[in-house]
């Protein structure tokens, strides 16, 4: 293959979230339920993949919850006294980071 050919386009892309970032509109094999939630919810992987760690951020970027070294395929999260709103969940599964959102209601 001639990589200099004008008929071949190679797009290496630019991923600001790093190598292995996956978003909820892609194949994630991750479930968050119930969503919306009143502050208690479950994060579960499919196929027995292990959740290494997770972070939950408010829409302004503040870190509101973090847990390292989970080593589980099902994590029960209980956020106490968290204001209602939309939060972003970063779940590390192996070398991939999966980004999702959770809605917290009253």
């Amino acid at each position: 293959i001639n990589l200099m050919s004008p008929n071949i386009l190679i797009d290496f892309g630019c991923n600001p979230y790093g190598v292995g970032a996956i978003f909820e509109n892609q194949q994630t094999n991750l479930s968050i339920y119930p969503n919306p939630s009143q502050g208690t919810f479950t994060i579960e992987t499919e196929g027995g993949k292990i959740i290494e760690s997770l972070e939950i951020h408010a829409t302004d970027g503040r870190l509101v919850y973090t847990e390292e070294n989970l080593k589980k395929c099902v994590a029960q999260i209980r956020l106490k006294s968290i204001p209602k709103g939309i939060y972003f969940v970063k779940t590390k599964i192996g070398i991939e980071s999966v980004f999702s959102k959770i809605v917290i209601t009253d």
Side-chain angles (χ1 to χ4, degrees):
I1 295 175
N2 179 0
L3 296 179
M4 300 306 287
S5 169
N7 297 324
I8 296 176
L9 173 63
I10 299 175
D11 181 9
F12 293 102
C14 179
N15 183 351
Y17 299 98
V19 174
I22 297 178
F23 299 89
E24 61 183 353
N25 62 341
Q26 295 177 316
Q27 185 66 26
T28 61
N29 298 321
L30 181 80
S31 298
I32 298 179
Y33 58 89
N35 192 4
S37 165
Q38 293 181 338
T40 300
F41 55 93
T42 300
I43 300 174
E44 182 175 359
T45 64
E46 295 177 13
K49 291 187 177 183
I50 302 298
I51 300 170
E52 301 292 334
S53 63
L54 64 91
E55 295 178 354
I56 300 175
H57 294 265
T59 55
D60 64 3
R62 284 180 300 113
L63 180 66
V64 297
Y65 181 86
T66 186
E67 192 161 344
E68 299 289 328
N69 300 312
L70 273 169
K71 308 293 186 207
K72 299 178 182 178
C73 55
V74 178
Q76 302 286 328
I77 308 301
R78 290 176 184 82
L79 301 177
K80 297 179 181 178
S81 304
I82 189 169
K84 67 180 179 177
I86 297 172
Y87 293 85
F88 299 102
V89 181
K90 176 184 175 185
T91 309
K92 186 171 181 200
I93 301 171
I95 63 167
E96 297 177 338
S97 292
V98 180
F99 296 84
S100 309
K101 66 182 170 188
I102 181 82
V103 177
I104 303 297
T105 60
D106 288 334

